[in-house]
């Protein structure tokens, strides 16, 4: 049974297959074609944290493929202790073809994957956001073609989004630089794991965003305080003040630099209004691609699991 708990679950060839499928489905959608690739299939989404893009992109995506989506908050699903995670997993697995989970704990997603008997997708945990990173590389490829050797510069917290982007860069042979204040870099454990997995990956960490931006093909940022870190908002706003993406930072990069943000954005904090709306910003194309990628991913997983 195949899952997507993190991008470590996939081989590079499989990442390529998913991206290819997502691109094909995007072309079909844009042509106004609706093919019932997932007729009769059911996905159950269980989210412990809020979501606009992820929830709606999976729901819209499965509808376009003629499948059905059911949404439950974590509490409604019983993740607050109403019954065990193992029991919830087995029950949901009896109804669903895919369970899509947004949680705090990565371990919870892995436990559900072990017990559900159907595909499980990580729709964001404190550790990883693999669907976002697959979308990000799909979007960069749309603009730049082959991204081998391209310089992706992530300015901000070394969080779930940064980690998944780093693994995606490992798969696609792009270089990644993380520019973050001391104390907010990717952990040594993670760096060791990703470097072990992708020995050729050029991963650099620095606390100098201006220097990092030089030669950047992509500048990427995310919120300074992620969901669950609300109490640290003010402390982080002070610590990250020099790490804002603004027009000057974009100007320091390559002429055709792309600006990306997974959204939601806090305009005026990690990114200025000006940078969000700059002609170099591709944030809404990136957001739309969440749905095309979600479709490609669901279809790929269903096909894989039919074989097993
Ligand atoms: N980028 C992203 O995952 O957005 P949501 O939190 O709105 O799903
Ligand atoms: N790092 C952010 C991403 C939101 C899509 C968070 O976890 O809240």
């Amino acid at each position: 049974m195949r899952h997507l708990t993190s991008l470590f679950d996939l081989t590079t060839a499989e990442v390529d297959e998913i991206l290819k499928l997502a691109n094909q489905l995007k072309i079909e959608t844009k042509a106004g074609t609706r093919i019932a690739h997932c007729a009769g299939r059911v996905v159950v989404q269980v989210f412990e944290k809020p979501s606009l893009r992820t929830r709606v992109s999976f729901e819209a995506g499965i509808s376009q493929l003629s499948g059905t989506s059911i949404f439950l908050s974590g509490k409604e699903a019983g993740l607050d202790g109403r019954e065990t995670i193992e029991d919830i997993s087995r029950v949901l697995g009896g109804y669903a073809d895919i369970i899509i989970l947004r949680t705090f704990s990565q371990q919870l997603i892995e436990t559900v994957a072990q017990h559900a008997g159907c595909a499980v997708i990580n729709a964001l945990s404190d550790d990883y956001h693999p669907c976002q990173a697959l979308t990000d590389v799909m979007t960069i490829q749309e603009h730049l073609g082959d991204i081998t050797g391209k310089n992706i510069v992530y300015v901000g917290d070394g969080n779930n989004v940064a980690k998944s982007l780093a693994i995606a860069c490992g798969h696609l042979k792009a270089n990644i630089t993380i520019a973050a204040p001391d104390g907010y870099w990717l952990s040594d454990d993670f760096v060791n794991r990703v470097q072990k997995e992708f020995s050729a990956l050029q991963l650099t960490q620095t606390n100098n965003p201006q220097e990092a931006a030089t030669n950047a093909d992509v500048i990427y940022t995310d919120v300074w305080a992620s969901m669950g870190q609300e109490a640290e908002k003010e402390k982080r706003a002070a610590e990250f003040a020099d790490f804002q993406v603004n027009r000057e930072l974009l100007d320091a990069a390559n002429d055709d630099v792309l600006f990306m943000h997974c959204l939601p954005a806090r305009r005026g904090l990690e990114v200025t209004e000006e940078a969000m709306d700059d002609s170099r910003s591709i944030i809404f194309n990136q957001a739309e691609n969440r749905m095309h990628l979600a479709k490609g991913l669901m279809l790929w997983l269903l096909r894989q699991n039919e074989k097993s």
Side-chain angles (χ1 to χ4, degrees):
M1 185 61 59
R2 298 301 304 272
H3 309 285
L4 180 65
T5 64
S6 82
L7 290 179
F8 289 125
D9 292 353
L10 300 172
T11 65
T12 295
E14 289 171 343
V15 168
D16 288 339
E17 284 171 21
I18 293 167
L19 294 175
K20 199 167 159 208
L21 206 46
N23 281 307
Q24 276 168 12
L25 292 167
K26 180 169 181 177
I27 292 167
E28 277 181 21
T29 308
K30 294 287 178 192
T33 320
R34 294 281 189 275
I35 302 179
H37 295 289
C38 297
R41 301 304 199 133
V42 175
V43 307
V44 175
Q45 302 204 73
V46 180
F47 281 32
E48 290 185 310
K49 295 175 176 174
S51 171
L52 176 69
R53 280 143 290 270
T54 307
R55 175 180 175 178
V56 179
S57 63
F58 274 110
E59 200 162 321
I62 197 70
S63 300
Q64 290 184 6
L65 296 171
S66 303
T68 303
S69 167
I70 297 163
F71 181 86
L72 294 170
S73 66
K75 192 168 185 303
E76 284 167 323
L79 294 182
D80 57 352
R82 184 165 179 253
E83 53 192 313
T84 69
I85 304 300
E86 288 79 359
D87 288 354
I88 294 170
S89 309
R90 287 193 195 102
V91 171
L92 285 183
Y95 309 137
D97 297 289
I98 306 179
I99 300 172
I100 301 173
L101 292 170
R102 172 166 283 203
T103 61
F104 294 89
S105 152
Q106 176 69 16
Q107 183 55 52
L108 193 153
I109 295 175
E110 288 167 17
T111 304
V112 177
Q114 252 170 14
H115 297 280
C118 71
V120 170
I121 295 176
N122 177 352
L124 182 147
S125 69
D126 287 349
D127 291 337
Y128 298 117
H129 197 2
C131 304
Q132 182 66 54
L134 286 173
T135 306
D136 298 337
V137 289
M138 172 184 176
T139 309
I140 302 170
Q141 284 177 334
E142 275 181 354
H143 286 81
L144 303 181
D146 181 5
I147 68 171
T148 304
K150 296 291 182 192
N151 297 320
I152 317 297
V153 176
Y154 175 98
V155 181
D157 186 22
N159 60 15
N160 45 8
V161 168
K163 280 157 78 180
S164 293
L165 192 61
I167 310 172
C169 287
H171 279 299
L172 295 182
K173 300 172 185 59
N175 308 324
I176 179 125
T177 301
I178 308 289
D182 295 338
Y184 293 97
W185 291 18
L186 301 178
S187 69
D188 291 346
D189 280 356
F190 174 77
V191 172
N192 291 339
R193 182 168 182 200
V194 78
Q195 290 283 196
K196 192 170 164 217
E197 202 81 26
F198 306 101
S199 52
L201 175 64
Q202 291 193 34
L203 189 166
T204 312
Q205 302 205 76
T206 171
N207 55 17
N208 186 335
Q210 285 75 24
E211 205 175 281
T214 315
N215 294 325
D217 296 301
V218 173
I219 293 187
Y220 194 121
T221 193
D222 182 16
V223 292
W224 294 333
S226 286
M227 291 179 277
Q229 298 173 332
E230 289 77 9
E232 294 176 33
K233 238 179 188 163
E234 280 167 22
K235 176 179 172 269
R236 284 171 173 257
E239 288 172 326
F240 281 87
D242 295 336
F243 291 78
Q244 185 184 60
V245 176
N246 49 35
R247 187 184 277 171
E248 293 69 45
L249 197 73
L250 296 179
D251 289 346
N254 286 344
D255 285 347
D256 50 0
V257 68
L258 302 170
F259 168 63
M260 301 180 76
H261 191 312
C262 57
L263 304 180
R266 306 286 184 276
R267 289 174 181 247
L269 285 180
E270 76 275 5
V271 57
T272 57
E273 290 274 1
E274 220 175 35
M276 286 284 280
D277 302 326
D278 193 281
S279 59
R280 293 166 286 190
S281 166
I282 56 168
I283 53 175
F284 295 112
N285 177 16
Q286 182 186 1
E288 181 194 313
N289 280 343
R290 288 296 308 273
M291 181 183 75
H292 305 299
L293 190 282
K295 290 166 74 176
L297 174 62
M298 289 187 287
L299 187 53
W300 184 84
L301 279 171
L302 291 170
R303 286 179 177 169
Q304 290 296 311
N305 291 339
E306 257 163 28
K307 289 186 212 158
S308 56

